Amino acid sequence: MDELAVRSALEAGRRAGESYALLRPDQTPAGLMGEQLGKGAGSSIEFMDYREYEPGDDLRRVDWSAYARSDRLMVKLHREEVTPHLDLVVDASASMALPGTAKGEATLGLTAALACAADNARMTRRVYAAGDRLDLMQGGEGEVAGWVWPGFGAGGRFAEAGGPGGSGGLLEALYRVAVPMRGRGVRVLVSDLLSGDDPWPVVSRLAEGASALVVVQLLAGVDADPGGRGGWSGDVRLVDCEDGVLREVRIDAMTLRRYRERLDQLRGQWRSACARVGARMVEVIAEELVAGWDLRGLVRAELLRMV
């Protein structure tokens, strides 16, 4: 995508996101100071309960009047205050800008919409472009107009463009994160998930230390149904958008059936992995998204709320 197309997609997504706010998790993260009242004990001014003093406790939290009455050292517990935070991880591999589809536009627009929704929820945020490693997108903590998108395919191979089952590198990228994701924050992954690797290591790594995880599978129409309207059939030449390799294949009813079976299997594996950590998985079709930038499907999936 050229710079004009990138800017146009980001702006379209930003406008769409203005009407929504990101839903905060039910279980508020503990141990961070900020504006939102949490459910654990912390250091805000709202008193919750007492417990007995333990070595290492701050003596300033001892209730000396209670000690005078009971001859026991008791520590005041207060409701924590937290600053909710979003870490938004975006697959920047070449398959996310599949030529001839709306996938690149949808990826950028959805990223901008989620960032805007986080702002509306008064959450801090970071946007990561996932290539050979997770890198903070330049300007990603500020206004969408100031983002510098590194480009698709600039550093990584997560998916096989010819169909589900390629060699994924997302787990490696997560272990090579340039700036660590914030603990106890909300994390959202946007990817086509078209990798043959076991998704559990990726999901468990993303969920580690997070208060909530949402996995958004963003597919082009031809990813979801290659034989559908505008899809492929017969003898075709396909260029792998990840490595540029030309492949000649015959796409017939049997090929399409195997593809759909494999795609369903991959989806099932991701859903199962998400269920193990209490994460949610949302499926989005690129062409449907950019047709009107209607985000109500993400409201039904309990990722966003209208404002």
Side-chain angles (χ1 to χ4, degrees), residues 39-151:
K39 296 183 179 180
S43 55
S44 74
I45 61 174
E46 184 176 343
F47 171 73
M48 284 185 66
D49 203 351
Y50 288 105
R51 67 166 171 79
E52 290 197 16
Y53 172 84
E54 297 177 357
D57 284 338
D58 189 342
L59 290 176
R60 291 173 297 182
R61 295 172 59 190
V62 172
D63 189 331
W64 296 107
S65 61
Y67 174 71
R69 294 192 303 270
S70 64
D71 200 31
R72 296 167 60 194
L73 285 176
M74 304 297 292
V75 175
K76 289 182 178 181
L77 300 180
H78 297 84
R79 181 169 294 184
E80 65 179 343
E81 290 180 322
V82 298
T83 300
H85 176 80
L86 169 67
D87 281 312
L88 181 52
V89 179
V90 184
D91 185 345
S93 60
S95 72
M96 296 302 292
L98 186 64
T101 74
K103 206 169 175 182
E105 180 184 1
T107 299
L108 293 170
L110 180 59
T111 302
L114 292 174
C116 186
D119 294 343
N120 289 338
R122 297 201 298 177
M123 300 173 70
T124 58
R125 56 174 164 82
R126 288 175 177 166
V127 182
Y128 298 82
D132 289 333
R133 66 179 188 177
L134 289 190
D135 285 304
L136 279 177
M137 184 174 65
Q138 186 177 340
E141 297 179 2
E143 296 291 333
V144 172
W147 289 6
V148 180
W149 177 248

Side-chain angles (χ1 to χ4, degrees), residues 5 7 24 26 43 97 99 110 120 153 166 179 183 199 219 256 258 271 281 302:
R7 303 256 56 95
R24 295 173 176 177
D26 292 334
S43 55
L110 180 59
N120 289 338
V179 178
L219 297 175
L256 293 173
R258 289 199 299 265
R271 291 192 193 102
M281 182 172 167
E302 299 182 342

Side-chain angles (χ1 to χ4, degrees), residues 117-275:
D119 294 343
N120 289 338
R122 297 201 298 177
M123 300 173 70
T124 58
R125 56 174 164 82
R126 288 175 177 166
V127 182
Y128 298 82
D132 289 333
R133 66 179 188 177
L134 289 190
D135 285 304
L136 279 177
M137 184 174 65
Q138 186 177 340
E141 297 179 2
E143 296 291 333
V144 172
W147 289 6
V148 180
W149 177 248
F152 292 101
R157 175 185 178 85
F158 296 151
E160 194 74 30
S167 175
L170 182 53
L171 182 61
E172 180 181 353
L174 288 171
Y175 277 99
R176 297 181 60 199
V177 57
V179 178
M181 288 180 283
R182 184 177 296 183
R184 307 180 184 92
V186 178
R187 295 174 190 164
V188 176
L189 169 66
V190 178
S191 173
D192 55 17
L193 309 181
L194 299 183
S195 168
D197 293 341
D198 179 4
W200 170 244
V202 173
V203 171
S204 60
R205 179 70 173 173
L206 279 171
E208 183 180 350
S211 62
L213 170 64
V214 180
V215 174
V216 180
Q217 183 178 39
L218 179 59
L219 297 175
V222 293
D223 288 330
D225 185 10
R229 185 177 178 181
W232 305 314
S233 63
D235 295 324
V236 297
R237 291 184 175 183
L238 299 178
V239 177
D240 191 320
C241 65
E242 298 285 355
D243 58 20
V245 174
L246 176 66
R247 292 179 172 85
E248 295 185 359
V249 298
R250 173 178 289 274
I251 299 180
D252 54 20
M254 179 66 71
T255 304
L256 293 173
R257 182 175 63 81
R258 289 199 299 265
Y259 178 96
R260 294 184 185 110
E261 289 174 351
R262 179 60 177 144
L263 181 60
D264 287 343
Q265 182 184 29
L266 287 174
R267 283 171 167 165
Q269 290 172 346
W270 277 92
R271 291 192 193 102
S272 177
C274 287

